[in-house]
Structure formats: structure tokens, C-alpha cells
Amino acid sequence: MIAAIDIGGTKIAGGLVDADGTLHHRVERPTRRQAAGAGEVFATVAEVVADLAADPRWTRVERVGVGSAGPVDIGKGTVSPVNIAAWRDFPLVAEVRALPQVAGAPVALGGDAVAMTAAEHWRGAARGFANALCLVVSTGVGAGLVLDGRVYAGPTGNAGHLGHITVDLDGEPCPCGSRGCLERMASGTAIAGWAVAQGWRPPADGATAAAVADSARAGDAVALAAFDRAARALAAGIAATATLVELDVAVLGGGVLRAGELLLEPLRRHLRSYATLPFTRHLAVRAAELGTDAGLIGAAALALH
């Protein structure tokens, strides 16, 4: 068994995953984002581990895998999640290893998008492909790479961070410090924001990508254009990556993918305009298969492989 931990700005989940990638047990607690200090946030991680350790199968746990919102630094074992302000260069690996239930067992760390990539390559839509790009399209855009059959995380664990490549040279400034980033055009936040700026009227419960998708299904021209714009930006980023490293498949997951073909159909169409070189034309586009379990299965994959 591998103990897996998935850390995000909204929730911290834990699970027990076997060597075949099957998730046998799952627990979850809300992230204390408003906590006064780093220790209070980590207390939730400790509670999740304690919950897992209460399961009889914990005695079979030999290692721990952690996927975290980033940036991460796998060399140092630290994390600085944008959406967890209390953690800056937080020594997450050392703190997890010091928990009494873990007792010094090996702990592997990866970014959440890299964990999703490992999961989809091991058990999901990228299985069987030697070269893959896996994207998480949600409030941001994260991604990870599989090259020559192995997850490639890079020296710090942030390789393949597609959300922060420039796809619009004259685009909006990005909080990362650059401008025209893919995330500023294709994330759920960007889809809703652009639609509002173009005159779309959100429902009473707020402007979200899901609400834009509802309007698009009803034929709203602005909502349809918002998804087309996001799909075009994603296609440009995916094609650029395929040209650079030669890919077989692009797998897309995350909350925005609940829109289904509203995003995937224009993405495939635009990809034909950008992926034009012979060694990129075969690139397949697939929806992720593992859903909310991907973070835990991926964290286990990082620990195991």
C-alpha cells in the first residue's frame, strides 16, 4: 500500500492506494486557508494522515506520495502554493516524514498537475502512450509531461507548466509576472471574465465557467465564443509543446472539462490549424478518465515509480 495525500486550496484528501493503482480508502478535510500560520495548515495534513492510519490496511503502507498545489521544489522538499498563503518554502516532505504514523518512511513530492499526469499515464486516458501532455483546466491551467514512457517533472518538479507560456504577445499581464499567459485565456476564471466583458449576463449565483457553459448549450453567442477563444489558446499551447518534444496525446481534465465537447470540439478544430508539421498531425486529444481520484492515484504513482 501507498499512502497518498492530495493538497489543494479548498481541500486536503488522503487515500490508500495499492501497487496496481486502485484507490481503496479515501478521507478528506477542508483546507484551513484563513489559518494564522503554516503549522495550522499542516495540522490538517496531520489529521488526514491520522484518519488514514486508523484504517487496518495502514500496516501495509510502505511509502507516502504527496501531490500539492504549487509551485513545488522536489529537490528541497518544499512547497509555496499560490492558493495557500501561509506556506512559502514550507518544508512539507520533512514535516510529513516526521509524523509519528509515517515514522521516517520514504516520502515523494510532486506538483498537483504532475500527479494528475502520473495518474492518467498509469491508469487513465494516457495509458499506453509514450509521450503525453496532461492538463488540468480549472481556476488555473496546470500541466505535466510524459516523455519516453516516464513522467518528466524537471529538476524542481515544475516542468510542463503550460499555463504560464505566452500565447498572446500583447496579452494581459499575469500575476506570475509575464503577460499573455495561456492561463489568462483558457482557465475557468478567464472564460467567465471574458464573457462578462463581452456583455454576457451571469446568473444570480455568479459568473463561472459552468454558468457560461449552460448559456453556450442554450445557444448564447458570447458564451460559445468564450469557449472557442479558450480552446484556441489551448490548441496553440498544445501544438507548441508537441512541436518541441513530439507528443502522442493531450489529455485534459479539471473542472472546466465538465463542459465536454463545448471545449473539446473547438480545441480539436483549432489544433488542426496549429499542429501542422507532419510529426504533430497525429496528436490525439482525450478527456481525462480518473476525475477527483487522479490527485491521490497520481501521488501514489510518484511514490511508487
Side-chain angles (χ1 to χ4, degrees):
M1 283 284 180
I2 303 102
I5 304 169
D6 181 18
I7 299 171
T10 302
K11 62 176 175 58
I12 297 174
L16 298 178
V17 182
D18 68 21
D20 292 325
T22 301
L23 178 63
H24 288 274
H25 180 51
R26 178 188 177 101
V27 298
E28 186 177 302
R29 288 177 179 250
T31 305
R32 296 169 179 161
R33 285 200 293 174
Q34 305 304 320
E40 291 178 77
V41 179
F42 184 74
T44 303
V45 177
E47 290 164 6
V48 166
V49 171
D51 289 345
L52 291 177
D55 188 282
R57 288 165 291 194
W58 181 265
T59 58
R60 295 163 52 195
V61 168
E62 297 180 352
R63 58 189 67 208
V64 180
V66 182
S68 174
V72 304
D73 190 323
I74 59 175
K76 297 178 179 178
T78 60
V79 299
S80 302
V82 173
N83 51 5
I84 304 178
W87 279 3
R88 291 296 174 265
D89 294 319
F90 183 74
L92 182 59
V93 169
E95 292 290 334
V96 170
R97 191 179 289 131
L99 291 172
Q101 299 90 345
V102 175
V107 178
L109 172 66
D112 50 3
V114 173
M116 177 267 195
T117 300
E120 291 292 336
H121 186 239
W122 188 20
R123 296 277 300 184
R127 182 163 52 177
F129 290 94
N131 302 285
L133 174 69
C134 297
L135 298 93
V136 180
V137 186
S138 186
T139 52
V141 177
L145 287 166
V146 175
L147 300 177
D148 294 330
R150 297 175 64 104
V151 174
Y152 178 73
T156 66
N158 296 287
H161 204 340
L162 197 67
H164 292 287
I165 69 166
T166 296
V167 293
D168 182 356
L169 297 180
D170 300 313
E172 298 177 14
C174 180
C176 78
S178 185
R179 66 183 309 125
C181 289
L182 175 61
E183 186 172 290
R184 298 291 289 171
M185 300 180 69
S187 68
T189 305
I191 290 170
W194 186 86
V196 169
Q198 301 303 309
W200 172 72
R201 294 187 176 184
D205 55 353
T208 64
V212 178
D214 289 340
S215 295
R217 293 187 188 97
D220 184 283
V222 171
L224 287 165
F227 274 96
D228 186 82
R229 177 178 181 266
R232 186 179 181 188
L234 286 166
I238 292 169
T241 308
T243 304
L244 187 67
V245 298
E246 298 194 45
L247 298 173
D248 302 312
V249 66
V251 174
L252 289 90
V256 174
L257 266 294
R258 295 191 186 101
E261 289 300 313
L262 284 174
L263 183 68
L264 291 175
E265 186 281 323
L267 171 56
R268 295 187 182 102
R269 172 165 42 84
H270 286 302
L271 195 58
R272 290 193 290 270
S273 299
Y274 290 106
T276 58
L277 291 171
F279 62 90
T280 64
R281 291 178 193 157
H282 70 287
L283 181 62
V285 175
R286 293 186 171 189
E289 296 178 358
L290 298 178
T292 57
D293 291 339
L296 292 173
I297 295 172
L302 296 175
L304 188 63
H305 300 146

